[in-house]
Amino acid sequence: MKVAITLAALCCVPALAFADGKGSGSGSGNAVQHAVIEIKPVPGHPFKELAIENPLGDIRVEGHDGDSITVETWKFGPDEDVLDRLRVSLVPNPDGTVHLMTTADGGREVKPVSRSAVRIDVVIHAPRNTRIDAGVSSGKLVMANLDAGGELDTSSGPIQVNNVSGELFTHTVSGKTSIAQAFGSIDAATVSSDLVLDTIGGDRLVASASKGQIDGRRVRSREIELTTTDGRISLEGELALTGHMVISSLHGDIDVRLRSHGAGTVRARGVKVDFGGVPVVRQGDWAMATIGHAPMPMSAAAMVELQSRFANVQFAIVQ
């Protein structure tokens, strides 16, 4: 079923539970309930922020050109009684913020059910200029085609971001993070998983992984800071005028290949340092080189710093 409700009609109630419609799908258990709801803003008060908490499954948020928010849910469980205990609440506020949360009713009076036996997956279509704050536990978190950034958090679930602008923060413990076609300031952190970056632009990119690799391709951010403890760092991108890049690892190899549009200075240190034939000057533990030949003030020169305490560093300028 599909219901269109204005924001004003919803503001007078504390929460809205989804009406349940039955459908087919795949997931934990043998019973499935499917629901769709659409909410529209009050004229002159567009939706501007959407906060989603779904510890029971996946979240996928996609931007669209309309002004409404459409939420589609799938509940999975062993039987209909259990499905009735799975709740999805949606709370729109007069200031243009919306909060969606999933829960499972419990208590002594109900039969206990294993956490792995139930699931709620959520797919949302929101206006492109809506900021997204979303969190899952072990589910997948996907964000695509949005222009106002947001903050994404998981425990063990993967994060996938595609075609997003604005200020973006991602945090995960053990879920792989993939960010592609992102344009804005990015801060991505993971503890024990890999981080993949592809086609990144904007003022600032900060990425860190404790026990995971960082792999960046087509990166054009003006300021770049990549850090790992045990993982390898591989970066291919462009060095911007006045750009600043710091890449460091304790135990991981570093491999950086850059296209440069101006002059800059590179300094590196590691167990073995290879600058690919670029003339190097030694200064203590550091190997230093100048790249580019365009005359310009020193204030406009780019700076690259690469260091790995217990592994190797490789740097090259590519055409």
Side-chain angles (χ1 to χ4, degrees), residues 101 122 130 134 212:
M101 181 172 59
V122 180
T130 306

Side-chain angles (χ1 to χ4, degrees), residues 75-123:
K75 298 179 183 179
F76 305 97
D79 54 51
E80 294 292 336
D81 289 339
V82 171
L83 291 185
D84 289 341
R85 289 158 49 192
L86 301 180
R87 307 293 183 188
V88 181
S89 62
L90 182 63
V91 184
N93 298 304
D95 61 359
T97 62
V98 180
H99 187 197
L100 184 147
M101 181 172 59
T102 68
T103 56
D105 290 345
R108 295 180 180 179
E109 71 282 359
V110 298
K111 179 182 177 181
V113 178
S114 169
R115 168 64 183 84
S116 61
V118 298
R119 183 179 184 90
I120 301 177
D121 291 337
V122 180
V123 175

Side-chain angles (χ1 to χ4, degrees), residues 24-209:
S24 60
S26 60
S28 301
N30 300 316
V32 180
Q33 289 182 348
H34 176 223
V36 181
I37 191 169
E38 180 183 14
I39 58 173
K40 294 182 178 294
V42 170
H45 298 276
F47 296 124
K48 61 183 182 180
E49 184 172 332
L50 175 60
I52 314 153
E53 300 175 50
N54 182 21
L56 302 177
D58 300 341
I59 295 174
R60 181 180 184 90
V61 186
E62 295 186 2
H64 69 100
D65 293 328
D67 61 356
S68 64
I69 292 178
T70 302
V71 180
E72 192 166 5
T73 63
W74 289 263
K75 298 179 183 179
F76 305 97
D79 54 51
E80 294 292 336
D81 289 339
V82 171
L83 291 185
D84 289 341
R85 289 158 49 192
L86 301 180
R87 307 293 183 188
V88 181
S89 62
L90 182 63
V91 184
N93 298 304
D95 61 359
T97 62
V98 180
H99 187 197
L100 184 147
M101 181 172 59
T102 68
T103 56
D105 290 345
R108 295 180 180 179
E109 71 282 359
V110 298
K111 179 182 177 181
V113 178
S114 169
R115 168 64 183 84
S116 61
V118 298
R119 183 179 184 90
I120 301 177
D121 291 337
V122 180
V123 175
I124 299 174
H125 291 85
R128 293 185 189 277
N129 59 349
T130 306
R131 174 183 168 84
I132 305 299
D133 291 337
V136 299
S137 179
S138 58
K140 179 186 294 186
L141 184 47
V142 179
M143 178 179 175
N145 306 323
L146 287 148
D147 297 331
E151 185 164 358
L152 309 179
D153 289 275
T154 77
S155 179
S156 58
I159 294 175
Q160 296 180 3
V161 177
N162 185 60
N163 191 26
V164 168
S165 300
E167 190 175 34
L168 176 67
F169 299 88
T170 69
H171 314 276
T172 180
V173 177
S174 59
K176 180 178 179 180
T177 299
S178 300
I179 302 175
Q181 299 183 57
F183 308 97
S185 295
I186 298 173
D187 191 324
T190 178
V191 176
S192 59
S193 59
D194 296 340
L195 204 160
V196 178
L197 306 165
D198 191 347
T199 314
I200 307 297
D203 287 336
R204 194 162 186 259
L205 167 64
V206 178
S208 63

